[in-house]
Amino acid sequence: MERPTAININLSTSGSRLGGAAIAAGFNCRYMAESFPVELWRMWDKDEEFYLDKLKVTNFTSRTSFDFLGSLSPKRLRALYLDSDILSRVMLERPKIIHLHNPIPSFAFETIAVRAAKAGIKVVASTHGFYEMMYPNYGLKPYERFLWKQTVTKPVTRSLQYMDAIFSLYPEEKKMLMDIGVSEEKIHLTPNGVNPFFLTPSTAAEEKEVVKKFNLSLDNPILFFIGNHTVNKGLATVLETASKLSRPATFVIGGRLLTPEEPQQWQEKFAHNKLVNIVFTDYLTTIEQRALYRLADVLLFPSLADTLPLTIIEAMTTHLPVIAYDVGGISYQLQDGCGMLVESGDFTGFLTAVELAISDPKLRTEIARKAKLRQESIFSWEKTSQITIDIYKQIINQK
């Protein structure tokens, strides 16, 4: 078996629950593995090895390395001290390149980058999560913001001096990277692609099953939200929109429930709107998600912190117009009329955009048409994986 030239390492605090960085790393590696010796190593909730097509995947059990804050710190901060046996395996395997994905847990990110670089291994990183790392709009308290800066922003920033290249997801990110010390010649644009599953339309049977399962009415516009039900993803904005919308609509809230009581808790927080029906789906399969992309009239994405969301690319792929807050690389995704952008935090602007979109089918059709063309021209794993391989080769050949 050919030894890997490059090992892609996905760090995580969520075990086997795949976030955007892990999904993106997986697809980019699977496409690279067709023509380049690469492996994917992941922090996980158990040790295992398997293949995805030609890609070898190795999962490493996550554990707490040290946690001097103990129970005094919030759970999300304690998670920053997770570690695994990935570094020791890197030192044993000695690949020519390691490629880091996801800056959290940040101390593991820093330690792996520094130790590998000092051992003569080339180190690169993708910027999944960098925007959120630099601008944590998570409703943190003042002491939590201080701890975030010390335990996330600073370790990741320190590690950048050891990087041979940074794979940036959108052009405007370059300034942020240069401001924290990355030289311009090390920054390479490599946008996310799309899961090929979403390139094939859902079937009528799949759509019918989703309508039946969630008791959806097709008489009124369907407004779809899919994502984590955490503060930064903007679910509160979606539900406040539902409470104030002046037109009949169905709001479909996708994503795993935090608790069984969550739907009732949200309903108690916002005024009831008799024109609107709200459906919480809980976890959605990819088949159900694709069907809802096709059934919905608009995707709502008022995230407060995101880099280059895969969900938006999936919506563009499936001809679903997007209304989103302008954060991170979303303006790059939706520029030139490929979506409706609203200044982050401008609820009135967001509500106005929703009202306009559901009242104007021609507008939705035009946005969807432009978005699909943009997705096809820019957001492709075939293109990004080849760019990544080319940069790997350049770095390997550097003296």
Side-chain angles (χ1 to χ4, degrees):
M1 182 65 66
E2 185 178 13
R3 291 175 63 84
T5 298
I7 294 175
N8 279 242
I9 299 171
N10 185 78
L11 305 179
S12 174
T13 60
S14 57
S16 58
R17 293 183 62 180
L18 293 176
I23 294 170
F27 278 113
N28 200 28
C29 286
R30 288 172 74 173
Y31 278 86
M32 284 194 289
E34 292 295 321
S35 61
F36 190 83
V38 61
E39 291 184 9
L40 176 61
W41 294 3
R42 306 185 297 192
M43 289 180 67
W44 207 250
D45 51 19
K46 62 180 178 180
D47 293 331
E48 60 182 352
E49 291 185 353
F50 59 93
Y51 279 83
L52 291 172
D53 300 323
K54 294 183 180 180
L55 175 67
K56 182 179 180 181
V57 179
T58 305
N59 292 333
F60 295 78
T61 302
S62 299
R63 63 175 187 275
T64 301
S65 56
F66 69 96
D67 185 357
F68 61 86
L69 296 175
S71 61
L72 296 178
S73 65
K75 181 179 179 180
R76 59 190 166 195
L77 290 177
R78 294 201 304 270
L80 302 178
Y81 298 97
L82 288 173
D83 202 354
S84 69
D85 291 329
I86 287 178
L87 177 59
S88 60
R89 281 284 298 276
V90 167
M91 293 296 102
L92 181 65
E93 296 280 347
R94 298 291 176 120
K96 293 181 179 179
I97 297 175
I98 61 168
H99 184 161
L100 295 171
H101 301 263
N102 196 28
I104 299 175
S106 48
F107 290 114
F109 185 95
E110 180 184 25
T111 302
I112 292 171
V114 173
R115 289 279 303 278
K118 289 184 176 180
I121 299 169
K122 302 293 186 180
V123 181
V124 303
S126 288
T127 56
H128 308 286
F130 271 45
Y131 183 90
E132 298 93 312
M133 179 267 297
M134 293 297 297
Y135 308 105
N137 294 317
Y138 308 128
L140 298 182
K141 298 174 183 178
Y143 85 93
E144 291 177 321
R145 285 189 174 275
F146 172 79
L147 288 174
W148 183 273
K149 183 176 181 180
Q150 302 304 314
T151 60
V152 178
T153 307
K154 286 189 175 181
V156 175
T157 302
R158 287 194 300 262
S159 71
L160 296 179
Q161 64 183 298
Y162 296 93
M163 299 290 172
D164 294 281
I166 297 290
F167 293 91
S168 175
L169 301 184
Y170 60 98
E172 293 79 6
E173 200 172 35
K174 180 183 289 189
K175 182 180 184 304
M176 181 188 78
L177 293 169
M178 292 176 66
D179 286 345
I180 56 178
V182 181
S183 58
E184 184 173 8
E185 64 271 15
K186 290 185 177 182
I187 302 172
H188 306 273
L189 181 63
T190 51
N192 288 331
V194 63
N195 180 344
F197 174 80
F198 293 104
L199 295 172
T200 302
S202 55
T203 66
E206 290 167 350
E207 293 171 12
K208 183 178 180 180
E209 180 61 28
V210 164
V211 169
K212 179 181 178 182
K213 178 177 180 178
F214 300 114
N215 193 27
L216 300 179
S217 170
L218 303 182
D219 295 334
N220 296 318
I222 294 177
L223 307 177
F224 186 33
F225 169 90
I226 176 70
N228 295 327
H229 295 191
T230 48
V231 174
N232 60 304
K233 291 300 182 182
L235 180 53
T237 299
V238 172
L239 294 173
E240 186 175 1
T241 301
S243 73
K244 296 181 177 179
L245 199 68
S246 66
R247 297 171 179 272
T250 297
F251 282 68
V252 177
I253 309 300
R256 194 182 300 276
L257 295 176
L258 299 177
T259 67
E261 298 75 27
E262 184 187 355
Q264 182 61 35
Q265 291 170 348
W266 280 115
Q267 290 173 14
E268 292 172 354
K269 186 172 182 178
F270 295 105
H272 174 68
N273 185 344
K274 63 182 181 180
L275 296 174
V276 168
N277 183 36
I278 300 175
V279 178
F280 283 84
T281 67
D282 204 357
Y283 172 78
L284 291 168
T285 66
T286 52
I287 291 175
E288 292 169 339
Q289 187 174 338
R290 181 177 65 179
L292 282 164
Y293 282 147
R294 294 287 181 171
L295 290 166
D297 295 278
V298 179
L299 178 77
L300 304 180
F301 204 90
S303 178
L304 298 172
D306 254 299
T307 303
L308 200 78
L310 297 174
T311 300
I312 287 181
I313 300 174
E314 291 163 2
M316 297 169 74
T317 303
T318 52
H319 303 271
L320 178 61
V322 179
I323 302 174
Y325 276 159
D326 186 0
V327 298
I330 294 177
S331 61
Y332 174 60
Q333 292 175 300
L334 302 181
Q335 69 184 42
D336 299 328
C338 294
M340 301 178 73
L341 285 168
V342 179
E343 183 179 353
S344 180
D346 179 7
F347 172 75
T348 300
F350 191 83
L351 176 60
T352 300
V354 173
E355 297 270 12
L356 175 61
I358 64 175
S359 67
D360 192 340
K362 290 184 179 180
L363 174 63
R364 298 198 303 269
T365 299
E366 181 62 12
I367 289 173
R369 183 188 67 81
K370 291 180 178 179
K372 177 60 177 176
L373 291 174
R374 184 166 180 80
Q375 176 269 309
E376 290 176 337
S377 66
I378 296 175
F379 304 112
S380 159
W381 287 126
E382 290 93 338
K383 295 177 181 179
T384 290
S385 62
Q386 188 56 57
I387 294 171
T388 305
I389 290 171
D390 291 343
I391 295 169
Y392 284 173
K393 291 177 178 178
Q394 292 175 19
I395 292 170
I396 291 171
N397 293 329
Q398 289 174 355
K399 297 294 184 179

